[in-house]
Structures are given as C-alpha cells and as structure tokens.
Amino acid sequence: LAMYTAKRSGRSRYQLYTPELDAGTRDARLRQAIADDELVLHYQPAVTMTDGSIRGVEALVRWQHPEEGLLMPGAFIGLAEETGAVVPLGEWVLREGCRQVAEWQAGIAGAERITLSVNLSPQQVKQADLVDAVTGILAETGFPADRLVLEITESVVLEPDAPTIARLEALRDLGIRLAVDDFGTGYSALSYLQQLPVTILKIDRSYIRGIADDERDRRIAEAIVRLGLAFDLYVVAEGVETAEQARLLTGMGCTVGQGYHFHRPMPPDRAAHVLAAERAK
Ligand code: C2E
Ligand code: CA
Ligand code: CA
Ligand code: CA
C-alpha cells in the first residue's frame, strides 16, 4: 500500500492517463470540471493564404486542471467520447464559442463576418436531440447560424444512418455549414460524402506535412484538393507550417489554410488582440 501511495503521488502529473484512477473516477472528475467551468477554449484562425486575412476561428478545448495544469484535448477527449461525457462537453464548447465569437463580432471592427468552427464528436452527432441543442444555443447566444461551421469526422461520414442524415440536413437547413475534418485519414468514401450536406473538406495535416519535400506527398495532396473541388467542396488545408506549403497549396487551388505558419491556437484575450490588429493592417 505504501508503495502504491508513493507511486501515485510521485506520478500525479500522469494521473489522468494511468489506470491508478479508474475510468469511472476520471469520467466523474471530467463531468465535474464541465460543471465547475474548468474548461477553456483556445481559438485558431483560418486564413486566406494569399494575404493572411482571417476568415474565421476554430474553437479548441483545453482543461485548466487545478493540479495538472493546462491539459490538451488528447488527454481527455478519448475518455469523454467513450463515457458520453463528450456530449455535455461539446454543448459547453458550442455555447462558450458562440458567446465569445458573438462578442467579438459585435465589438471588434472588421470581425463582424468571421465564422466559428466547432468540432462535433461522433457521440454528439448520434444524439437524437442534437438539432434542438444547437438551435437552443444559437437562440441563447444570438450567434448567427450562417457563421457557424460544425466539423464532423470521417467515422460519422462512413455509413451514416437515416436519422443521422436527417439531423445533418436539419442543421444545414438552419444555415449552418458542415465540414469533414481530418479528411483522408479514415475511409474517405466519397460515395458517403455525397449523401451528406457537407460543403467543406479539411485536408488532414498528415497530407500537408511532406508536400514541399516529397513528390509523392505533393501528388496525393494535389489529388485530394482536386477531388474536393470536383465535388464542389470548399477545401481547407490544416497544419500549414511553412510559407512554401502555403504557396504550393494555393497553386493547387486550395486557398484557405490553418496552421502554425499563420497562427497557433490562442487564448481568448490574445485572439481578440489579433482580430483587432487585423483591421489596422
Ligand atoms: P483537430 O480538430 O484536427 O484540430 C487541429 C489540431 O491541430 C489542434 O490540436 C491544433 O492545435 C493542431 N494544429 C493546428 N495547426 C497546426 C500546425 O501547423 N501543426 C501542428 N503540428 N498542429 C497544428 P489540439 O488543440 O490539441 O486538438 C486536437 C484534437 O482534439 C482536434 O483535432 C479535435 O479532433 C479534438 N478537439 C479539440 N477540441 C474539441 C472539442 O471541443 N470537441 C471535440 N469533440 N473534439 C475536440
Ligand atoms: Ca477540427
Ligand atoms: Ca482537423
Ligand atoms: Ca487533425
């Protein structure tokens, strides 16, 4: 027992991932964190790559843990997805993102038209009351539906059932845009993509990484961009880290990008500063 106790305290930084805290305890702790407002959002701009102008921001969740520090989504989203805690978490993210960006749209000159992108987990998309939840949050925050982008992953796109398709169509009918996130990492069946009211395709950063140095990688990225454009999709590159990558992508016809070359995800005060400076340019 002494050894166990020592080990636990000695490794407290890793408590969240180690089996020493069982899944049930970690789940309860995360649900408490949502209720206690320990979650925070960071925002990463998406830009027009030719001039760097900001089109919108993606909300990315972090957990400001009182003992562990700032935790990245990789440390808790997986568990939340398994236990269902990702549903209240996702609603919190949508509400807080809409509230914050509505405030920027109203208060920062030039930011009136920026979009907000929010990640939807597969569990959320399966919820029968998803559309009611989204409608309620838009009404509550006054956020304009036509400025909202919901990002879904390929696992949702693959073999969507009729109720899922109906929910996504209802969101589309509200004026919300749907993006397929991490495109190319899953099964990428375009036949499924065609069944869904998706208008944006985000190319996963694993396809962007090698485009400047590797001929094969460049051709794959090019093929994905062409495929997206052929299906009348709006193609966005993620993980753009260099000017050369941005230049190559622009040449392929992909004009919007997100990545460290332009902006890292930022806490709200910093993002507000960047949005305000944008106007001054
Ligand atoms: P994602 O949706 O693909 O988000 C992009 C991730 O790539 C973010 O990591 C971002 O910080 C990182 N990134 C952006 N630009 C670059 C770049 O140039 N280079 C590199 N190497 N990385 C870049 P983050 O914030 O750790 O989020 C990881 C994943 O967690 C997200 O991937 C998303 O799948 C998930 N996630 C984040 N927030 C939420 C949320 O509110 N709800 C749900 N369900 N999932 C979320
Ligand atoms: Ca995303
Ligand atoms: Ca992504
Ligand atoms: Ca990704």
Side-chain angles (χ1 to χ4, degrees):
L1 180 66
M3 243 179 80
Y4 178 65
T5 316
K7 191 176 162 210
R8 269 189 70 151
S9 55
R11 293 178 57 194
S12 66
R13 262 181 63 79
Y14 303 104
Q15 267 179 12
L16 286 161
Y17 330 90
T18 53
E20 290 146 24
L21 274 185
D22 63 81
T25 307
R26 288 186 295 155
D27 176 58
R29 183 66 192 85
L30 176 56
R31 287 176 191 268
Q32 192 59 45
I34 301 166
D36 290 353
D37 257 357
E38 286 176 12
L39 300 184
V40 292
L41 293 182
H42 283 192
Y43 297 88
Q44 184 179 35
V47 305
T48 300
M49 291 192 279
T50 44
D51 64 3
S53 59
I54 296 176
R55 317 281 300 240
V57 292
E58 178 175 2
L60 295 161
V61 71
R62 280 93 180 86
W63 179 357
Q64 188 63 65
H65 194 285
E67 291 100 38
E68 317 274 332
L70 192 68
L71 299 176
M72 301 302 275
F76 58 90
I77 286 283
L79 175 81
E81 181 69 28
E82 271 171 42
T83 65
V86 79
V87 174
L89 181 150
E91 284 182 17
W92 182 89
V93 169
L94 184 63
R95 183 176 292 109
E96 174 55 19
C98 286
R99 185 204 65 72
Q100 177 65 82
V101 176
E103 188 185 298
W104 290 337
Q105 287 170 337
I108 300 175
E112 296 84 1
R113 301 285 300 158
I114 62 165
T115 58
L116 165 66
S117 296
V118 172
N119 294 287
L120 274 195
S121 83
Q123 282 293 339
Q124 282 179 282
V125 181
K126 281 188 208 144
Q127 297 296 306
D129 66 353
L130 171 70
V131 180
D132 288 344
V134 172
T135 309
I137 290 170
L138 291 176
E140 197 184 305
T141 57
F143 192 83
D146 70 348
R147 300 286 89 198
L148 182 62
V149 178
L150 295 176
E151 301 191 355
I152 58 177
T153 54
E154 276 184 84
S155 60
V156 171
V157 176
L158 189 76
E159 298 188 65
D161 54 13
T164 299
I165 296 174
R167 274 192 289 280
L168 297 177
E169 285 175 348
L171 293 172
R172 187 259 330 263
D173 293 344
L174 288 170
I176 295 166
R177 275 166 285 176
L178 296 172
V180 177
D181 205 354
D182 300 341
F183 185 79
T185 55
Y187 297 90
S188 333
L190 276 170
S191 53
Y192 292 119
L193 211 58
Q194 273 185 294
Q195 296 176 38
L196 297 176
V198 166
T199 57
I200 302 166
L201 196 145
K202 293 187 82 173
I203 311 177
D204 192 68
R205 70 165 182 266
S206 58
Y207 292 96
I208 309 300
R209 199 178 298 136
I211 58 171
D213 326 297
D214 189 309
E215 171 72 11
R216 239 191 95 207
D217 282 7
R218 195 182 53 68
R219 286 195 194 175
I220 292 172
E222 206 167 6
I224 296 176
V225 172
R226 273 217 211 102
L227 200 67
L229 296 176
F231 279 83
D232 272 333
L233 296 167
Y234 207 77
V235 181
V236 177
E238 56 177 37
V240 181
E241 295 187 346
T242 69
E244 180 67 356
Q245 289 170 344
R247 192 187 64 77
L248 288 167
L249 286 160
T250 305
M252 293 174 194
C254 173
T255 54
V256 180
Q258 213 178 325
Y260 296 169
H261 173 61
F262 300 105
H263 300 280
R264 288 182 178 253
M266 303 170 269
D269 54 343
R270 176 80 196 136
H273 184 81
V274 166
L275 287 168
E278 167 96 349
R279 180 61 166 211
K281 279 204 286 217

